[in-house]
Amino acid sequence: VLFASAVNDHINDGNLPVLVGEADDAAKRYFGSLSLSMLSLFMSIAGGVSWEEVLVPLQKINTIWVFAFLFYVAFTYFAVLNVVTGVFCQSAIESASNDHAMVVQSMLDNKAAHLNKIKNLFSEFGTDGGVLTLGTFEEKINNPAVREYFEALGLDVWDAWSFFKLLDDDGGGSVEIEEFFMGCLRFRGPARSMDLGRVIQDQKWLINNQGRVQNFIEEEFNSLRSQIQDLQNLVKR
């Protein structure tokens, strides 16, 4: 509105110098109406027209309008467009961070279908009764079908023994289909704060119990030492 008003007021004011030649053509082409002015400003930031051509009539009218045009371009480039780009990038980052939750929820919603897939996977292991043992798991872990399934879940099973022990929550030495399915979901993706909190809690428990064991052993050694000294004293007598 400001640019269109300034250019047209200058053209219609008989007391101001008349725009001639290239300046007059550029004024009518880029600022002849409000819609043309809006289009010219958009083309200036989108590469549709060179700044030099748009600035020709503004330079003839007043240098103030040149600075106003430069301010518009700078503000649009460094503020508006950067903000819009930042919003899209933030949205993409949030979508990526929520992808794991969406996949897990989808697997839970289609639990029956995934259980059937796992049954087929267990048939690749050659198990009976839907129970997987550590020996069978270590034997069949390099099977292409098994590797493809774990890769589809985003699991990198490089140590069969450690992974099996993680799946075997009850420590029974075998893993059932339901236990296998929930374990794969639990270990898929990065560790969360709750996982780290559980590890810290287990470490504290181990440290406290280790300290109690050490105190008990130290007390027993002191008691044994005193008894040995008593025996030595009796022997000397």
Side-chain angles (χ1 to χ4, degrees):
V1 172
L2 291 175
F3 289 123
S5 176
V7 173
N8 285 278
D9 288 346
H10 184 89
I11 293 175
N12 296 324
D13 193 340
N15 298 324
L16 297 175
V18 178
L19 298 177
V20 295
E22 183 182 359
D24 184 57
D25 294 338
K28 294 177 181 179
R29 183 184 306 117
Y30 299 120
F31 301 103
S33 64
L34 180 60
S35 58
L36 287 175
S37 300
M38 295 172 63
L39 179 61
S40 300
L41 294 177
F42 175 75
M43 290 191 299
S44 298
I45 64 171
V49 65
S50 174
W51 293 5
E52 185 178 4
E53 298 178 10
V54 179
L55 283 174
V56 169
L58 299 178
Q59 289 175 333
K60 298 296 183 181
I61 295 174
N62 198 309
T63 307
I64 294 177
W65 295 111
V66 175
F67 286 107
F69 179 83
L70 295 177
F71 172 79
Y72 158 77
V73 173
F75 178 78
T76 307
Y77 266 125
F78 301 116
V80 178
L81 295 182
N82 280 347
V83 169
V84 173
T85 303
V87 170
F88 278 104
C89 291
Q90 182 66 25
S91 177
I93 293 172
E94 291 177 355
S95 298
S97 63
N98 293 330
D99 180 68
H100 168 65
M102 293 174 62
V103 171
V104 172
Q105 184 62 41
S106 176
M107 294 183 70
L108 290 176
D109 293 339
N110 300 283
K111 184 177 180 180
H114 281 281
L115 288 177
N116 290 330
K117 292 181 181 179
I118 294 176
K119 288 180 180 178
N120 295 331
L121 179 65
F122 273 60
S123 67
E124 294 288 340
F125 287 141
T127 58
D128 296 328
V131 177
L132 178 65
T133 61
L134 175 59
T136 306
F137 185 72
E138 289 179 332
E139 180 183 353
K140 301 293 184 180
I141 189 61
N142 292 322
N143 187 297
V146 177
R147 283 292 181 185
E148 290 177 1
Y149 183 80
F150 285 131
E151 289 176 0
L153 290 178
L155 295 172
D156 183 15
V157 185
W158 58 273
D159 186 351
W161 185 86
S162 298
F163 185 74
F164 187 88
K165 290 300 181 182
L166 290 174
L167 293 179
D168 188 16
D169 285 337
D170 54 9
S174 61
V175 177
E176 298 180 352
I177 293 179
E178 182 78 13
E179 192 176 5
F180 182 88
F181 174 73
M182 297 307 297
C184 289
L185 286 186
R186 185 170 67 253
F187 295 117
R188 183 185 184 277
R192 297 182 178 272
S193 299
M194 186 172 64
D195 300 326
L196 298 177
R198 182 176 179 180
V199 172
I200 294 173
Q201 185 179 19
D202 292 341
Q203 287 182 341
K204 289 181 178 179
W205 183 86
L206 289 173
I207 292 172
N208 292 333
N209 282 273
Q210 185 178 9
R212 293 175 183 175
V213 171
Q214 289 178 347
N215 291 332
F216 174 78
I217 294 175
E218 186 177 357
E219 291 176 358
E220 291 296 322
F221 271 116
N222 292 332
S223 176
L224 182 60
R225 183 183 301 154
S226 62
Q227 292 177 5
I228 292 174
Q229 289 178 350
D230 292 340
L231 289 174
Q232 289 176 346
N233 294 331
L234 289 174
V235 172
K236 290 178 179 180
R237 293 176 185 177

